[in-house]
Amino acid sequence: HSHNKTVLLPTHALNFLQYATQIVTLKDETISENGSYAELIASQGPFADLMREFASVDTAWRIRTAYSNPFFE
């Protein structure tokens, strides 16, 4: 059980962040943003920018991968 525990997960795996209770972003060794996924997206700050960029790159990769798959030819 994860009750009453704090788990730090330094990650570049952005697809997992929507499941985190609290997200803390750092810039130049200083906390730049913190909050829930929804709060950080709504704030339209650097975290939201990063997630928009990730979504467009991830979508492009998925489309490219699907069309290069022989199953779809």
Side-chain angles (χ1 to χ4, degrees), residues 17-68:
L17 293 177
Q18 63 186 319
Y19 304 109
T21 305
Q22 180 81 9
I23 299 168
V24 178
T25 62
L26 302 174
K27 182 174 181 168
D28 299 326
E29 301 177 13
T30 303
I31 294 174
S32 62
E33 294 179 287
N34 70 67
S36 69
Y37 181 85
E39 291 167 342
L40 294 179
I41 293 297
S43 74
Q44 297 296 308
F47 178 81
D49 294 342
L50 175 66
M51 293 310 293
R52 270 193 300 279
E53 181 180 334
F54 170 71
S56 65
V57 168
D58 185 57
T59 300
W61 179 85
R62 288 175 191 270
I63 291 169
R64 198 170 48 251
T65 302
Y67 286 109
S68 66

